[in-house]
Amino acid sequence: MPMVVGVVAGVAVAAVLVLIGLFKLMWRVAEPNEALIISGSKHRTEGIEEGMGFRIVTGRGTLVMPGVQAVRKLSLDLNETELQVDCVTHQGIPLKVRGVVIFKVGDDFVSIANAARRFLDQQKLMSERVHNVFAGHLRSIVGGLTVEEMIRDREKLTGQTRAACGTEMEKLGLIVDSLQIHEIEDPTGYIQNLAMPHAAAVQRDARIAQAEANRLATEAEQQSFARMAEATRDSEILQAGYQAERDKAAAEARQAGPLAEAGARQEVVVQETRVAELEAHRREQQLQADVRKPADAAAYETRTLAEADRDARISSAQAQAKETELAAAAEATRVKAAAGAEAEATKARGEAAAQATRATGAAEAAAAQARGLAEAEAAKAKGLAEAEAIKARAAALAENQEAVVAQQLAENWPEIVKAGASAFGNVDNMVLLNGADGMADMFAKALTMGGTGLGLARQLLASMDRDGQAAQGASSLNGQSRKVPVDDK
Amino acid sequence: MADASMVGLMGRVTGTVGPGLVGEVIVRVRGGAEHFLAHPASAGDRIETGTVVMVVEHLPPRTVYVTAAYDS
């Protein structure tokens, strides 16, 4: 029984396994990067119009009848083709262009069908075919471009590529993802020459920048060296300072011993000095006690005695002085009394004398008055008489001037001659030249001087005559004053 | 898998579309984005790179005719 069960189970398992194996054989799955091309069944042609004869499955599984249907895989992966083409540009410059074309089978069923019909057995040769297609097209593309455009205008290159190859690749069921020019070999050096001015400019700028950088670097370096030197100097100065401090401290330390010794010695000396001082002090005290005190006592005794003596003398002198003073005062009082008496007497005498003098003066004054009056009376009488005389003479003058003058001259002649001779009065010794004539001459001159005085008198009289007539009315009053100038003539 | 209709899809110009040029547009289709060769739907249009376009005609396998999606 268990045997039967085991056989049944085994058969069942085997059947299941066989079923799984069959299913595995019949069920095919398309991977994401491949398309299954299934041929052999007329029905179930998906996506493709009639007449195609096969169906395309992408991205899923499908049931395939082994022996009835054939399944082939078409890779949808990316392919690339290296291009190496000799070509000539629009300007006629020969170039060697190396590039790469990246392409794949299109994802739509039309492209897959086209590609399947062309490349299903030649998937390995696809690159070669594409290379051949592109080599020819690239020549025509490059021939339509200039070198500058190729280098700079990639858009134009791709546009030209699409225009030239797009439709052809479409026929093959392929799409071009990119066409890249890797390298352009330039046997004539055109590109290099094209770049040369720019390269030169760049080189120049680079050299300038380099030089500038060098300069800056050198400056920085030199500054750095200077700083380093500065720092070294500062450090050395500091070190020297510290060294000096150390030396100083060491020297002080070395000196500490002797210093302490000297200090101790100084202390000793100080103490000794103190002892000596104390000794001296003690000695001084002793001397004070032994010598000075007795001397002081003696001096004090002497001084006290002298003072007593002096005081005694002073007292005696004071007594004397007092006595003298009192005596003087008494004398003074006496003299003052005597003087008072004398003054009284003198005063009385003076008053008496004054009285007498006044009386005498009054008497004399009365006498003088009387005498003065008498004299005045006499003078008055005399004046009147003279006035009469003058009046009479004036009358006479008026009548005969010449006679009066002559008379007057005659009266006064001796006087005149005397006056002329007075010029010689002072002559001590006179020498006369020219003999008697000289003498006569001299006298004549002297008399001429007198004659001159006569003329003058005459003039005066003439003027007086005119005045005298005008002033005759007042002559009685002014007689006295008028007489004097005439009389002096 | 049926080939989905391309007409009416929106795309972006990646290579200038114009008369005498073979342009390129990239369109979201079949779960990814694929590029197609593009020509202007109305002759004489020039559509610069970056413009949003609409597919008005699909000529299999990979050629589309486009027109600018927005008036600009």
Side-chain angles (χ1 to χ4, degrees), chain A residues 128-422:
Chain A
E128 198 182 319
R129 305 278 179 270
V130 169
H131 178 266
N132 289 338
V133 170
F134 264 87
H137 278 299
L138 198 61
R139 279 196 194 93
S140 73
I141 291 164
V142 171
L145 293 170
T146 62
V147 177
E148 288 87 343
E149 280 170 341
M150 274 174 64
I151 295 166
R152 290 174 195 145
D153 198 352
R154 291 300 164 110
E155 171 66 22
K156 196 157 188 175
L157 182 65
T158 32
Q160 296 264 349
T161 313
R162 265 203 311 277
C165 314
T167 38
E168 283 194 9
M169 297 298 278
E170 218 176 357
K171 288 176 202 161
L172 302 176
L174 301 176
I175 54 176
V176 181
D177 272 353
S178 81
L179 166 67
Q180 287 181 352
I181 304 297
H182 279 166
E183 203 174 323
I184 299 171
E185 282 179 23
D186 175 27
T188 57
Y190 181 87
I191 293 169
Q192 213 173 354
N193 292 334
L194 208 63
M196 219 166 259
H198 186 63
V202 168
Q203 202 174 13
R204 178 201 62 201
D205 291 350
R207 280 175 60 193
I208 289 169
Q210 177 76 45
E212 184 72 9
N214 280 345
R215 185 179 66 79
L216 289 175
T218 309
E219 271 178 19
E221 245 171 38
Q222 294 306 319
Q223 275 176 6
S224 160
F225 287 152
R227 293 265 171 78
M228 277 161 66
E230 194 183 348
T232 310
R233 180 202 63 187
D234 290 351
S235 161
E236 280 173 2
I237 287 168
L238 278 176
Q239 281 178 4
Y242 294 150
Q243 185 66 45
E245 280 178 22
R246 279 211 299 276
D247 290 352
K248 192 177 163 194
E252 276 174 3
R254 275 201 305 279
Q255 296 297 325
L259 209 62
E261 197 179 332
R265 215 161 58 223
Q266 186 188 17
E267 196 67 23
V268 169
V269 170
V270 165
Q271 289 302 326
E272 279 173 1
T273 310
R274 182 104 184 101
V275 167
E277 273 174 8
L278 287 171
E279 194 86 21
H281 189 66
R282 187 182 63 84
R283 190 165 167 74
E284 190 186 339
Q285 293 290 329
Q286 197 164 12
L287 281 173
Q288 289 262 0
D290 288 356
V291 178
R292 187 162 169 194
K293 295 290 177 181
D296 279 357
Y300 182 72
E301 187 184 5
T302 311
R303 193 162 66 231
T304 310
L305 285 174
E307 273 176 5
D309 190 26
R310 184 195 64 191
D311 287 354
R313 276 208 306 277
I314 287 171
S315 299
S316 143
Q318 275 175 349
Q320 190 84 32
K322 198 79 184 168
E323 194 178 331
T324 310
E325 192 181 330
L326 289 173
E331 181 69 20
T333 308
R334 193 186 61 79
V335 166
K336 207 190 295 179
E342 182 72 20
E344 278 301 308
T346 308
K347 191 177 168 188
R349 269 199 306 272
E351 277 175 358
Q355 202 76 29
T357 308
R358 203 155 51 224
T360 312
E364 278 177 358
Q369 191 180 18
R371 208 160 45 227
L373 283 172
E375 279 176 3
E377 204 63 36
K380 187 181 173 184
K382 191 177 169 192
L384 285 172
E386 278 180 1
E388 284 297 315
I390 286 163
K391 209 185 284 182
R393 202 154 50 192
L397 275 170
E399 282 173 20
N400 194 350
Q401 268 186 9
E402 285 295 321
V404 174
V405 169
Q407 190 196 352
Q408 286 239 323
L409 271 173
E411 277 174 16
N412 290 324
W413 195 247
E415 305 267 327
I416 292 163
V417 172
K418 200 175 169 187
S422 74

Side-chain angles (χ1 to χ4, degrees), chain A residues 107-109 162 170 175, chain B residues 1 22 30 34 61-63:
Chain A
D107 288 330
D108 57 313
F109 287 162
R162 265 203 311 277
E170 218 176 357
I175 54 176
Chain B
M1 179 173 114
V22 179
R30 286 187 284 272
E34 294 179 27
R62 301 202 67 83
T63 300

